[in-house]
Amino acid sequence: MKILFELSYLGTAYHGYQVQNGSELPTVQKAVQDAVEGLFGKRFCLSGCSRTDAGVHARQFFCTADGVEGEMIPADKIPLAIASFLPSDISVRSARYVSDSFHVRYDVEYKEYEYTVLNTRLADPFYKDRAYHHPKPLDVDKMNAAAKYFIGKHDFAAFMAQGSAVKDTVRDIKYFDVRREGDLVIMRVAANGFLYNMVRILCGTLVSVSDGKIDEKDIPEIILSCDRKRSGTTLVPEGLCLSKVVYRQDVFSPSYERGKIGHLEG
């Protein structure tokens, strides 16, 4: 039996979600692991649905604690019970018991990220660590036109940071759109999985299109080139937020067995 935790967190104080081997740097995983130990009196192995980078936030994030006895604490009591063990920038929004066959990463159908840009001439301290400040006016219509070229299944090697060991660089983008909310420009993208820094590079490419540095009609050619040098800049992590994680509903069925039902890689 496992406990599936639904989290929200601000990533400003953390060096990403995952604990780094041999490092004492603060991570979201360690903070939640400590809280789970404080509540249950035992240390559990924690697995996350993603590996958010340092400074990246999550409105919805899931992790599991393995080997937990189902009768220990009712699931609906866990969020309130664990709150006193958590720092103020991390919250457990919900909890549920799931079978050992459930995989918090491989059973994800798709993830949605939002990237927020403060599009004003002068910076606003209230958006510090929460948005990327871009003083030049952004053309949302132009950015939306460029975003449409990314939708579908493509090889996104041109939008992956160098140094990644991932060999399969094909991903399937479900939707990618841009909206303006006052001084904020928000880019929203969902896919069955993302490469290292892929969202920040995709969004940086749309900013480059708006700024006239990349022609939107060149996007298909850039995708086919698999050349990182041809895509846009990698935007800062502070503007990025994992906004939604969607699981296939069959994985919560009592009859679910991993070996009998196929799954998507997250």
Side-chain angles (χ1 to χ4, degrees), residues 208-221:
S208 294
V209 167
S210 177
D211 288 347
K213 297 177 181 178
I214 294 177
D215 191 316
E216 66 185 73
K217 295 180 181 178
D218 290 337
I219 296 295
E221 186 180 333

Side-chain angles (χ1 to χ4, degrees), residues 76-90:
D76 61 342
K77 305 294 185 184
I78 290 175
L80 186 60
I82 202 172
S84 62
F85 297 98
L86 287 165
S88 59
D89 49 9
I90 301 176

Side-chain angles (χ1 to χ4, degrees), residues 33-83:
Q33 210 161 17
D34 289 345
V36 173
E37 182 177 10
L39 178 61
F40 288 93
K42 177 181 176 183
R43 198 156 188 87
F44 295 99
C45 176
L46 236 62
S47 301
C49 67
S50 186
R51 298 179 182 180
T52 55
D53 293 333
V56 174
H57 316 294
R59 188 173 293 113
Q60 186 177 56
F61 187 99
F62 290 93
C63 64
T64 52
D66 300 346
V68 179
E69 294 299 327
E71 68 274 14
M72 294 179 73
I73 299 176
D76 61 342
K77 305 294 185 184
I78 290 175
L80 186 60
I82 202 172

Side-chain angles (χ1 to χ4, degrees), residues 225-247:
S225 75
C226 294
D227 184 357
R228 172 65 186 95
K229 295 178 182 178
R230 297 192 58 184
S231 56
T233 187
T234 305
L235 296 184
V236 297
E238 291 80 7
L240 185 61
C241 178
L242 177 58
S243 51
K244 185 190 296 184
V245 181
V246 176
Y247 287 95

Side-chain angles (χ1 to χ4, degrees), residues 66-242:
D66 300 346
V68 179
E69 294 299 327
E71 68 274 14
M72 294 179 73
I73 299 176
D76 61 342
K77 305 294 185 184
I78 290 175
L80 186 60
I82 202 172
S84 62
F85 297 98
L86 287 165
S88 59
D89 49 9
I90 301 176
S91 175
V92 170
R93 298 172 58 184
S94 68
R96 65 187 298 174
Y97 289 99
V98 294
S99 70
D100 287 332
S101 61
F102 176 86
H103 197 290
V104 71
R105 184 163 65 92
Y106 292 154
D107 286 330
V108 170
E109 183 175 348
Y110 68 90
K111 301 171 192 171
E112 177 192 279
Y113 280 90
E114 288 191 341
Y115 194 95
T116 302
V117 180
L118 176 63
N119 193 209
T120 56
R121 187 171 66 86
L122 299 175
D124 185 337
F126 285 94
Y127 287 102
K128 182 181 182 297
D129 299 325
R130 300 294 301 278
Y132 160 60
H133 177 231
H134 190 76
K136 186 176 180 179
L138 291 172
D139 187 333
V140 171
D141 290 337
K142 198 172 183 180
M143 295 168 74
N144 266 314
K148 287 181 171 59
Y149 288 110
F150 294 111
I151 297 173
K153 185 178 289 188
H154 304 286
D155 187 335
F156 285 98
F159 304 89
M160 178 179 68
Q162 294 180 350
S164 174
V166 174
K167 294 182 180 180
D168 181 7
T169 51
V170 174
R171 296 294 184 272
D172 188 1
I173 290 184
K174 294 176 64 67
Y175 52 83
F176 194 5
D177 54 52
V178 187
R179 69 184 187 273
R180 179 178 287 279
E181 296 181 0
D183 291 332
L184 301 179
V185 171
I186 302 168
M187 292 171 269
R188 183 185 68 145
V189 58
N192 65 335
F194 293 95
L195 304 170
Y196 182 47
N197 284 350
M198 178 175 161
V199 177
R200 290 161 58 192
I201 296 171
L202 288 172
C203 292
T205 301
L206 293 193
V207 170
S208 294
V209 167
S210 177
D211 288 347
K213 297 177 181 178
I214 294 177
D215 191 316
E216 66 185 73
K217 295 180 181 178
D218 290 337
I219 296 295
E221 186 180 333
I222 294 172
I223 294 173
L224 290 173
S225 75
C226 294
D227 184 357
R228 172 65 186 95
K229 295 178 182 178
R230 297 192 58 184
S231 56
T233 187
T234 305
L235 296 184
V236 297
E238 291 80 7
L240 185 61
C241 178
L242 177 58

